[in-house]
Amino acid sequence: MFLMSRVLSQVKGLIQKVHPPQRSLNDSLEGEIQAFLIDEDQLHTYDDLTKVNPVTPATVLKCLQGRYSMKVFYTHAGCTLVALNPFQSIPDLYSLDVMKEYHYARQPQEFKPHIFIVAEEAYRNVRGQLEPVNQSLVVSGESGAGKTWTSRCLMKYYATVASVSSVVKSQDTVERIERRVLDSNPVMEAFGNACTLRNNNSSRFGKYIQLQLDRCQLLVGATVQTYLLEKTRVACQPANERNFHIFYQMMRGATDEQRKEWKMSHDQSFVWLPNSEKTIEEDCFHETVKAMVHLGINAERQGEIFRILAGILQLGNVSFSSSADESQPCHLDAKSKNFLQRAAELLCVPAEELQTCLRVRTLKAGKQSVLKPCSQADCSVRRDCLAKVIYAQLFEWLVTFINNSVCADKSTWCNFIGILDVYGFECFQTNNLEQLCINYANEKLQQHFVAHYLRAQQEEYVSEGLQWSFVKYQDNQSCLDLLEGSPISVFSLLNEESRLNRASDAKTFRVRLEKELCDNANISWDKFSKVPHFTVAHYAGKVGYQIEGMAEKNKDPVPPELISLLQKSNNQLLHQIFKDNETESQIKKGPGKTTVVSKFKNSLETLMKILHSTTPHYTRCIKPNPECKPLTFKKEEVIIQLEACGIVETIHISAAGFPIRIPFQSFLQRYTLIAKHINSGSHSVVLDLEADTCPQRHVEKILGVALKHRHLSEERSTLVHCGRTKVFLTQVMLDLLEDQRKKILSHCAFTIQCCWLRYQRRRRHTHRQSATLIQAAVRSWLVRNRVRRWNRAAGVIQSTWRKWRSLLKSLAEAELDDAKDLVEEDAPALNPVVRERGSVQLSIIPEPVAVRGWPMGLALASAPSMTVSLTATGFQKMISVIASLNLPSRRGEYQVKTNQYTEELASIRAQPKGSIKLHCQRSPLLYADRQPDLKSDVTGFNEILLEKTL
């Protein structure tokens, strides 16, 4: 209740600033808030905070708290997605099935709020509703709010949905690329993240990942741009915090053989590894090694990397003691000498030369070099500087290697989706240059959000003629002017102080800041503090920065003798990193070299140019409690973050405004077909559209037709507004237009398909008729040809047969009717009765002889001395012919038995005269089929015999 009254008082103060004190208005607002908060059971159902009425910090806070208690962690806030960190694993919230569900959804906005909705919206925008535009996903929030996890989920989503390829030959390449893109995360988190007071996996560097897509929206490559690695953490860890993850992973995951190679015994402790007893989820050495293998870092190169890291740890155990004689270098005890020897062996540099470089400074006076022993503090600074420069250069080499491994050629990709993951806003007990740069980066991102959405949209509404009352918001431009303004700012004064060729004095620098920047209300000083510092009022709260050591960190000095030593290293990787002339030339620039602030500012300006050239999508990560306890919601912590990032103002503008703006020309190019096809029966509308030269009236007619078709003409003012040069739409109106356009295109496609199928069917019918006609003509020609060949063949056969028959006849006559064998004898006349019955009377034979009838004058000689002639006529002749050919009888009515089975036969073609001689050669019956098939016709010689006999 105390918080509620506090929020209500803030609301009252805000209202009194905007309007004159009106008791009735305040009472009305309080009444609306109380009425809204009565039904707390329904607060979790508001998946979009623009539906909250009234929109106040209290109502927004209660809605988020209600959804968080129901384990609903994502909520829409207009154009922004609010993500509450649950600080525990939620099963199936980011599974592959959930990814596919959002990716294949027709309208993902109709689903529950999720980070995948933002990812899918950006992915579909690349494909282009109007034209393909590069996209940027800006993930912001405090340290520990879940930015790194959100960025990891976004990368996994795109690596999944953008790797589905129907082209088999490119599938392996796509899988390899998406695997390497995902494997770049654990490697970069191991080398660039650390456990802090606010987050177990805090990013100690900023990164902008560009996922490169080809024309088919397939993932073909990626690049990583990094910003300001907190390299001071290598040698100096704040209280109760840890070094980078990779060192602890090596300590816990190394095998005995690796420990022996890295000279790290189990009982050895390292000064630069505080809180090593604390175990976190990120301490997984094998996953890091596995990811390095997938990225293409072989075992040999891995060994070089881990030896360098082990050398840095050994270097941190080296301590110096002051010498009694200032002209002599600092002393090293026996343990420190042992650690120094190990470090030299791991870094592959001479131990004596390393010891000299750490304890002795080389000064140049003209062409001469003077050696000067360093004090104890200077020796420690040089040792820390050596460790920091090695680690920073190793990290840059690793980023470059990853880019070379996953980056695609410029010709193969045309658009990209950028994912920005930077360190969150930080405020510790002691803040220095690192926190100043980190908070400056967050100020720039907040200004980008303000400029792109809160300010630019409202100004555009007014310029386009919309009736709009400005929503007040917190503008952090004055804070940015304090930090980076021209000509005088904190950064410009800090760079001047760093370029002076002398040691910086914190008190003097504080006095100068107070003198030069006293007119800016965003900076203040505590005059009673003993430690020189200044306080900046950031958008997320006030932060005090310690001035001591800030100028030295900004100089980032690296002694040239240390670089020369590392260039001589026998470690190939270390030698390769430091052999570049560019690095050496930067070191030798002296006081005029680029400072840390200048370098970071330039890289940040490049990043802002990229963001301004893309379509941004904002995700605000909220940290529910500072202790990172699971499912614990602290209102004080959340309300501060909501006010800092301007969520309430964003909801106001989103609820009352039009988030989608399309120029007239692009709108007409895409949606003119709606009016033409919906009113296809009304030719007057089409003619008016074509004749109208004013694009605004043309757009008005299209919108009128679309709304009238859906019976939404009365709700036009809440859905769309036509400005002077652009059309302002809500998401609902855009979905309506896209739905109508899709239906029209589907109908047109169906019509085209029908016409094409009809044309194909007609063409096939014509081809079939032509083919049938051609086939008929060819077949008739072939038949005529075949018949002509048959006729010619038949003629040849007939003529040949006639010749053959004549030849056989002549041969038979010549054989049977030889004059030498004929004897003229008078045959006795046959009795008429005997002739009629077919019996034979043999008068010259003394005894009766059985004689069987034969057709065609056939004769049988049953004895050598017997000569018989027989002539059969009438029915008996027919029966004899059938019997001689062994033809089947009808129904078994009669059976004629001949002696063809036991006796030899002879053919008599001529009328016998007198006695005859029987011949068994060349008889036509030898060529006859005596047992023809019952179903077959009588053919061949059987046919000839029957034809000639019957």
Side-chain angles (χ1 to χ4, degrees):
M1 294 301 296
F2 172 75
L3 176 63
M4 188 66 64
S5 60
R6 174 187 168 191
V7 171
L8 290 175
S9 64
Q10 292 177 353
V11 173
K12 292 179 183 179
L14 178 62
I15 295 174
Q16 290 177 358
K17 291 180 182 178
V18 180
H19 301 285
Q22 297 181 4
R23 182 65 182 173
S24 60
L25 181 61
N26 292 342
D27 292 343
S28 175
L29 180 59
E30 289 182 11
E32 291 179 1
I33 294 175
Q34 294 296 336
F36 178 80
L37 297 179
I38 286 177
D39 194 3
E40 294 188 3
D41 295 338
Q42 298 298 320
L43 294 179
H44 70 277
T45 61
Y46 289 89
D47 55 359
D48 194 336
L49 296 177
T50 56
K51 301 176 182 177
V52 175
N53 187 21
V55 179
T56 64
T59 55
V60 171
L61 181 66
K62 290 296 291 184
C63 283
L64 292 177
Q65 184 180 10
R67 293 176 65 82
Y68 193 74
S69 63
M70 299 298 294
K71 295 186 178 182
V72 181
F73 308 108
Y74 291 104
T75 308
H76 290 300
C79 67
T80 305
L81 181 70
V82 178
L84 294 169
N85 194 344
F87 293 113
Q88 69 177 17
S89 178
I90 307 298
D92 301 328
L93 186 59
Y94 307 97
S95 64
L96 183 62
D97 293 335
V98 176
M99 293 183 188
K100 293 181 178 179
E101 182 180 2
Y102 281 93
H103 178 60
Y104 293 112
R106 186 175 181 180
Q107 294 293 339
Q109 292 79 9
E110 298 177 357
F111 286 67
K112 294 181 180 180
H114 201 287
I115 188 61
F116 294 157
I117 291 182
V118 180
E120 183 62 24
E121 181 182 355
Y123 186 66
R124 294 188 182 188
N125 285 352
V126 171
R127 292 185 294 180
Q129 290 182 340
L130 298 175
E131 58 182 6
V133 179
N134 296 328
Q135 309 290 307
S136 288
L137 302 176
V138 182
V139 184
S140 60
E142 290 191 3
S143 178
K147 300 184 301 299
T148 300
W149 173 259
T150 301
S151 300
R152 193 186 305 172
C153 291
L154 290 170
M155 291 182 64
K156 187 176 181 180
Y157 180 83
Y158 289 124
T160 301
V161 303
S163 65
V164 180
S165 175
S166 59
V167 184
V168 178
K169 65 179 182 180
S170 65
Q171 184 66 33
D172 295 338
T173 303
V174 172
E175 290 180 356
R176 179 179 60 85
I177 290 298
E178 62 93 10
R179 182 67 179 270
R180 290 191 174 189
V181 169
L182 293 180
D183 285 333
S184 65
N185 263 334
V187 175
M188 297 193 69
E189 289 182 10
F191 284 82
N193 289 19
C195 178
T196 64
L197 292 174
R198 299 177 63 87
N199 186 8
N200 286 343
N201 190 30
S202 176
S203 297
R204 308 320 300 164
F205 71 106
K207 63 176 179 289
Y208 183 71
I209 304 171
Q210 284 188 354
L211 303 178
Q212 301 162 344
L213 307 175
D214 62 6
R215 296 186 182 277
C216 299
Q217 285 75 52
L218 296 179
L219 183 65
V220 295
T223 58
V224 181
Q225 302 176 20
T226 59
Y227 306 96
L228 189 66
L229 174 70
E230 189 189 16
K231 59 184 179 182
T232 55
R233 183 171 292 269
V234 175
C236 180
Q237 302 80 35
N240 298 323
E241 294 190 2
R242 302 203 317 175
N243 209 324
F244 291 103
H245 291 325
I246 186 62
F247 295 111
Y248 300 92
Q249 291 179 3
M250 292 173 60
M251 289 290 294
R252 287 183 169 83
T255 62
D256 294 338
E257 184 180 353
Q258 288 174 330
R259 283 182 172 275
K260 183 178 180 181
E261 180 184 359
W262 302 339
K263 303 183 185 303
M264 297 167 56
S265 58
H266 288 278
D267 56 347
Q268 185 178 3
S269 60
F270 296 95
V271 177
W272 286 349
L273 288 186
N275 301 313
S276 58
E277 69 282 354
K278 183 177 181 180
T279 303
I280 59 176
E281 182 182 356
E282 285 71 23
D283 293 341
C284 189
F285 181 65
H286 298 291
E287 286 188 6
T288 303
V289 173
K290 185 178 179 181
M292 294 173 73
V293 172
H294 291 157
L295 288 170
I297 303 177
N298 55 35
E300 181 180 359
R301 187 66 78 187
Q302 290 180 29
E304 296 173 351
I305 293 173
F306 294 134
R307 282 194 295 271
I308 292 174
L309 297 176
I312 292 176
L313 292 179
Q314 297 290 348
L315 199 61
N317 286 352
V318 177
S319 60
F320 303 92
S321 58
S322 300
S323 175
D325 187 0
E326 293 183 357
S327 61
Q328 297 297 324
C330 293
H331 296 295
L332 292 174
D333 56 20
K335 291 185 178 180
S336 295
K337 288 183 179 180
N338 186 25
F339 291 138
L340 185 66
Q341 180 66 31
R342 294 182 183 179
E345 293 177 0
L346 291 169
L347 297 176
C348 299
V349 295
E352 293 295 332
E353 193 170 347
L354 174 60
Q355 182 176 343
T356 302
C357 289
L358 294 178
R359 297 190 303 164
V360 179
R361 177 186 305 170
T362 302
L363 302 177
K364 288 190 176 181
K367 297 182 179 180
Q368 296 182 351
S369 297
V370 179
L371 300 179
K372 181 182 178 181
C374 298
S375 63
Q376 181 182 2
D378 290 340
C379 289
S380 299
V381 170
R382 293 170 75 88
R383 177 203 60 199
D384 297 349
C385 180
L386 178 62
K388 290 187 293 184
V389 71
I390 291 176
Y391 193 84
Q393 292 298 323
L394 178 62
F395 184 80
E396 289 186 9
W397 175 88
L398 196 62
V399 173
T400 304
F401 186 91
I402 291 174
N403 285 334
N404 294 335
S405 176
V406 300
C407 183
D409 188 76
K410 180 62 179 176
S411 60
T412 61
W413 63 275
C414 55
N415 295 101
F416 68 84
I417 297 177
I419 301 175
L420 179 61
D421 176 23
V422 296
Y423 11 59
F425 186 84
E426 292 185 349
C427 180
F428 300 125
Q429 186 174 359
T430 301
N431 304 286
N432 210 286
L433 182 64
E434 295 82 9
Q435 283 68 43
L436 180 62
C437 292
I438 288 172
N439 294 339
Y440 165 65
N442 283 271
E443 290 282 356
K444 293 288 286 186
L445 293 178
Q446 177 66 15
Q447 179 62 20
H448 176 265
F449 174 76
V450 169
H452 182 269
Y453 194 78
L454 299 181
R455 180 173 63 237
Q457 282 198 12
Q458 297 190 89
E459 291 177 353
E460 190 174 26
Y461 292 156
V462 175
S463 64
E464 288 288 334
L466 277 73
Q467 294 182 358
W468 182 262
S469 58
F470 270 90
V471 177
K472 290 190 175 183
Y473 54 88
Q474 180 183 356
D475 193 350
N476 64 336
Q477 185 59 49
S478 59
C479 183
L480 286 175
D481 293 338
L482 170 68
L483 296 177
E484 63 172 5
S486 180
I488 301 298
S489 63
V490 173
F491 286 164
S492 63
L493 295 176
L494 182 60
N495 286 334
E496 288 182 10
E497 184 72 16
S498 301
R499 290 189 178 100
L500 296 177
N501 193 14
R502 59 173 175 80
S504 177
D505 182 68
K507 294 182 179 180
T508 305
F509 183 59
R510 177 188 174 279
V511 170
R512 190 178 180 192
L513 287 175
E514 187 174 359
K515 178 182 177 181
E516 299 291 345
L517 303 175
C518 59
D519 296 334
N520 196 305
N522 291 87
I523 189 170
S524 60
W525 297 268
D526 185 3
K527 296 182 179 180
F528 300 100
S529 175
K530 297 182 180 179
V531 180
H533 76 284
F534 61 93
T535 302
V536 177
H538 292 284
Y539 76 96
K542 292 185 177 182
V543 180
Y545 297 98
Q546 183 178 346
I547 299 178
E548 188 69 37
M550 186 175 289
E552 292 298 323
K553 289 184 177 181
N554 191 38
K555 291 179 184 179
D556 193 22
V558 180
E561 52 267 25
L562 294 180
I563 301 299
S564 301
L565 174 64
L566 295 175
Q567 288 176 344
K568 300 175 184 178
S569 173
N570 292 328
N571 186 307
Q572 295 183 1
L573 178 59
L574 200 61
H575 175 74
Q576 176 185 347
I577 291 175
F578 288 94
K579 73 176 181 180
D580 297 336
N581 294 328
E582 182 180 357
T583 304
E584 186 176 358
S585 62
Q586 289 179 357
I587 299 302
K588 293 181 179 180
K589 284 183 180 179
K593 71 172 185 175
T594 304
T595 61
V596 172
V597 167
S598 299
K599 186 186 299 183
F600 181 66
K601 183 180 176 182
N602 293 335
S603 61
L604 205 58
E605 288 177 354
T606 303
L607 172 63
M608 299 313 296
K609 289 180 180 179
I610 296 176
L611 294 180
H612 283 298
S613 65
T614 60
T615 299
H617 303 265
Y618 302 98
T619 300
R620 296 291 191 179
C621 296
I622 302 296
K623 189 176 183 179
N625 64 86
E627 295 83 13
C628 302
K629 294 181 179 179
L631 300 177
T632 302
F633 191 93
K634 291 192 175 181
K635 300 178 181 179
E636 299 84 355
E637 182 79 11
V638 176
I639 194 68
I640 293 174
Q641 298 177 60
L642 292 178
E643 292 175 349
C645 60
I647 289 294
V648 177
E649 294 84 353
T650 303
I651 297 170
H652 274 297
I653 297 175
S654 298
F658 302 91
I660 300 165
R661 303 172 296 279
I662 305 175
F664 284 158
Q665 189 63 32
S666 299
F667 185 88
L668 294 175
Q669 182 179 357
R670 186 170 184 84
Y671 299 114
T672 299
L673 55 89
I674 293 178
K676 290 185 177 181
H677 286 269
I678 289 181
N679 293 278
S680 58
S682 176
H683 298 288
S684 59
V685 176
V686 179
L687 293 175
D688 289 344
L689 291 178
E690 294 178 353
D692 199 350
T693 57
C694 179
Q696 186 173 3
R697 287 198 296 271
H698 195 166
V699 170
E700 292 279 2
K701 292 176 182 178
I702 295 174
L703 293 174
V705 170
L707 292 171
K708 184 178 180 181
H709 181 69
R710 290 296 185 92
H711 307 289
L712 296 173
S713 301
E714 298 179 357
E715 303 179 12
R716 174 169 179 170
S717 59
T718 61
L719 296 176
V720 61
H721 183 85
C722 193
R724 295 187 176 93
T725 62
K726 295 181 180 180
V727 183
F728 294 83
L729 308 168
T730 60
Q731 186 65 43
V732 175
M733 186 63 192
L734 180 65
D735 294 341
L736 185 147
L737 291 172
E738 284 295 320
D739 184 56
Q740 292 187 7
R741 181 177 181 271
K742 187 176 296 184
K743 289 181 179 179
I744 291 171
L745 291 178
S746 299
H747 178 71
C748 293
F750 179 74
T751 303
I752 293 172
Q753 289 174 354
C754 291
C755 295
W756 173 248
L757 292 175
R758 181 174 58 193
Y759 165 74
Q760 283 187 322
R761 189 168 299 172
R762 287 179 175 177
R763 189 174 61 174
R764 282 197 300 267
H765 181 67
T766 304
H767 289 175
R768 189 179 295 111
Q769 285 183 334
S770 302
T772 304
L773 185 61
I774 293 172
Q775 290 173 359
V778 171
R779 279 197 294 265
S780 64
W781 179 82
L782 291 174
V783 169
R784 287 195 299 271
N785 250 6
R786 192 177 297 113
V787 169
R788 281 196 293 267
R789 288 202 305 271
W790 287 350
N791 291 335
R792 288 196 298 267
V796 173
I797 293 172
Q798 289 174 358
S799 60
T800 305
W801 170 247
R802 291 190 189 100
K803 291 179 181 178
W804 175 253
R805 189 174 57 179
S806 299
L807 179 61
L808 289 180
K809 187 177 180 180
S810 61
L811 291 176
E813 291 177 353
E815 290 179 359
L816 298 177
D817 301 331
D818 193 354
K820 296 179 181 181
D821 296 331
L822 295 178
V823 178
E824 293 291 340
E825 293 183 0
D826 295 331
L830 293 175
N831 192 343
V833 178
V834 175
R835 179 182 297 273
E836 181 179 358
R837 294 181 178 178
S839 300
V840 180
Q841 182 179 2
L842 302 178
S843 57
I844 61 174
I845 301 175
E847 296 179 2
V849 178
V851 178
R852 297 173 183 176
W854 291 88
M856 295 180 296
L858 299 180
L860 170 64
S862 58
S865 61
M866 188 187 311
T867 301
V868 180
S869 64
L870 173 65
T871 300
T873 60
F875 177 74
Q876 186 179 7
K877 179 178 180 180
M878 181 184 66
I879 295 301
S880 300
V881 171
I882 294 175
S884 66
L885 294 178
N886 200 18
L887 295 176
S889 60
R890 184 171 55 187
R891 300 181 182 177
E893 294 177 355
Y894 54 85
Q895 182 176 4
V896 179
K897 185 177 181 182
T898 67
N899 62 348
Q900 295 180 19
Y901 301 97
T902 58
E903 303 295 340
E904 293 295 337
L905 301 177
S907 177
I908 304 174
R909 292 307 178 103
Q911 198 63 246
K913 298 178 181 180
S915 62
I916 62 172
K917 185 182 294 186
L918 300 178
H919 297 274
C920 295
Q921 297 180 351
R922 297 182 182 144
S923 175
L925 290 180
L926 295 178
Y927 300 95
D929 187 2
R930 296 175 54 206
Q931 295 183 349
D933 189 4
L934 297 179
K935 296 180 181 180
S936 61
D937 297 331
V938 180
T939 58
F941 280 102
N942 294 351
E943 183 180 4
I944 297 170
L945 294 175
L946 289 175
E947 178 186 356
K948 293 300 181 180
T949 304
L950 299 179

